[in-house]
Amino acid sequence: KAGVTQTPRYLIKTRGQQVTLSCSPISGHRSVSWYQQTPGQGLQFLFEYFSETQRNKGNFPGRFSGRQFSNSRSEMNVSTLELGDSALYLCASSFNPPGRGFSYEQYFGPGTRLTVT
Amino acid sequence: GIQVEQSPPDLILQEGANSTLRCNFSDSVNNLQWFHQNPWGQLINLFYIPSGTKQNGRLSATTVATERYSLLYISSSQTTDSGVYFCAVVRNAGGTSYGKLTFGQGTILTVHP
């Protein structure tokens, strides 16, 4: 079974621009979570989507948004880029049906390394 | 929110040595995972272990959920074991915790030949 894929792998943008990152989950996984990794803050949760609905959101400004499509693929968008948005963005997928009282194992993609200049 | 603390922050070993990494968490959890981050940044799943003990080759892990800690054991370490090891948990808080892994700061392991 193919793993989680993310595109693009590397990206260089200028302050003020916007960027869209893509994530394709493992086949059969309907939950997709996004994380930001920086040297100063470590790995932080951005948001989680299931069946095209955002179920959970971390403490990030509204410039960070996402969506999920009917095939479970997900995109995240960052508008008005700032230098501090330079980071490794990771997405993860899991088989996480609604209504269950626990979370299943998450599997991560290779990440998108974003540099803002 | 839940706090996750890993120790030690850095660990330097000679090839062949054994090591124990610790993860303490501040609240009840329904998911605990250990990861190894490779030099290219990808998180490699080691264990999904909200409770109990598991073994996979030279690696094993134990989670004592009632005492809120987990241990990762690496035996007969190899240079390829070098990298950053993360513990991450999902707090047992129903719908408010969906898909949200909270990570520790990691343990940087260096294995010398």
Side-chain angles (χ1 to χ4, degrees), chain A residues 64-81:
Chain A
F64 291 81
S65 63
R67 59 177 175 168
Q68 187 180 35
F69 301 94
S70 58
N71 62 358
S72 295
R73 189 177 70 86
S74 177
E75 290 181 347
M76 67 162 282
N77 183 276
V78 188
S79 63
T80 319
L81 284 165

Side-chain angles (χ1 to χ4, degrees), chain B residues 10 17 21 36 41-42 45 67 73 80-82 85 101 109 112:
Chain B
D10 296 275
L21 283 59
H36 177 208
Q42 180 151 13
N45 289 41
E67 297 186 22
Y73 306 95
T80 52
D81 294 331
S82 296
Y85 289 80
L101 279 169
L109 175 64
H112 291 301

